[in-house]
């Protein structure tokens, strides 16, 4: 919805049409909710929407449906890294054109055609955490927060409560060079046109 609004307002150059890149890092739960599901209206609150990717599974949440097509209708996925080279799960992608469906929860306008690149990198068993484990002493939340404030008073605001200015490689994990090498030409070609 935001991309559609920004195009309409001239904030984005959409003269060549709408384009979207989506990566699914959620064990196959990231992409299917974006597609039409039988018996469920776009935006309709469901337990599935409250489960897939939710911090507190089991809550009702509006479905994030933005495409008219069903996920199971997508054919001709292309493998870009074999399962043998990718920790047991093949990395794959699909590029094509989809149609938006009206979803008032997400301000999506229906009936627009969007050129889409969908990726399922299959990286779930690899160390790709985006946030380092918090380092705090035992005790109440107030005691831990007080300790952090005392320890970090002389530090920058970015370093407060575990944020870091260190390079990603030092704090999180090594970059996946195999994914990077395989994705670069695919993404370059998609963006180029």
């Amino acid at each position: 919805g935001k991309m559609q609004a920004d195009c309409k307002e001239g904030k984005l150059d959409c003269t060549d049409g709408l384009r979207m890149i989506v990566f699914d890092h959620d064990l196959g739960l990231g992409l299917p909710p974006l597609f039409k599901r039988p018996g469920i209206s776009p935006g309709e609150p469901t337990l599935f929407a409250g489960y897939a990717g939710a911090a507190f599974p089991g809550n009702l949440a509006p479905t994030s449906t933005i495409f008219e097509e069903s996920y199971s209708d997508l054919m001709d996925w292309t493998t870009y890294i074999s399962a043998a080279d990718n920790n047991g799960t093949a990395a794959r992608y699909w590029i094509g054109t989809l149609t938006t469906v009206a979803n008032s929860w997400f301000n999506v306008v229906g009936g627009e055609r969007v050129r889409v690149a969908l990726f399922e990198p299959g990286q779930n068993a690899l160390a790709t955490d985006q946030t380092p484990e918090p380092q705090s002493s035992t005790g109440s939340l107030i005691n831990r927060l007080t300790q952090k404030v005392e320890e970090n008073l002389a530090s920058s605001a970015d370093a407060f409560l575990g944020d870091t200015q260190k390079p990603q490689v030092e704090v999180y994990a090594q970059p996946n060079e195999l994914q990077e090498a395989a994705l670069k030409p695919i993404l370059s070609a998609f963006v180029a046109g």
Side-chain angles (χ1 to χ4, degrees):
K2 174 76 168 125
M3 178 177 61
Q4 290 174 313
D6 286 350
C7 284
K8 187 176 182 179
E9 293 173 16
K11 293 179 181 178
L12 298 174
D13 179 5
C14 301
T15 54
D16 291 332
L18 301 174
R19 290 191 200 180
M20 179 182 287
I21 298 171
V22 183
F23 279 81
D24 178 0
H25 290 286
D26 200 11
L27 296 171
L29 294 175
L31 294 177
L34 300 177
F35 293 83
K36 198 169 198 177
R37 297 171 63 90
I40 300 174
S41 300
E44 178 181 339
T46 65
L47 289 175
F48 176 76
Y51 170 78
F56 302 101
N59 294 326
L60 281 173
T63 57
S64 55
T65 308
I66 58 173
F67 297 120
E68 178 68 32
E69 297 79 8
S70 70
Y71 179 75
S72 61
D73 290 340
L74 301 182
M75 301 294 186
D76 301 323
W77 285 80
T78 302
T79 298
Y80 66 94
I81 300 176
S82 71
D85 292 331
N86 200 47
N87 204 34
T89 304
R92 65 185 197 153
Y93 72 98
W94 181 89
I95 294 177
T97 302
L98 300 171
T99 306
T100 61
V101 61
N103 186 333
S104 61
W105 277 96
F106 299 96
N107 299 317
V108 177
V109 176
E112 290 195 49
R113 303 288 285 163
V114 183
R115 183 88 173 137
V116 180
L118 305 174
F119 293 88
E120 292 179 337
Q123 296 296 286
N124 296 306
L126 300 178
T128 57
D129 292 341
Q130 295 300 306
T131 306
E133 289 296 318
Q135 298 177 3
S136 61
S137 62
T138 58
S140 74
L141 175 61
I142 296 297
N143 289 342
R144 291 190 313 239
L145 286 173
T146 302
Q147 180 183 358
K148 275 292 193 183
V149 169
E150 290 170 356
E151 290 173 0
N152 291 294
L153 278 176
S155 301
S156 69
D158 288 339
F160 185 67
L161 292 176
D163 288 344
T164 181
Q165 295 296 316
K166 293 180 182 177
Q168 191 237 352
V169 164
E170 289 179 28
V171 179
Y172 307 110
Q174 296 291 323
N176 187 322
E177 293 175 6
L178 184 62
Q179 284 281 339
E180 182 181 351
L183 286 168
K184 192 171 185 174
I186 299 166
L187 289 169
S188 294
F190 180 79
V191 170

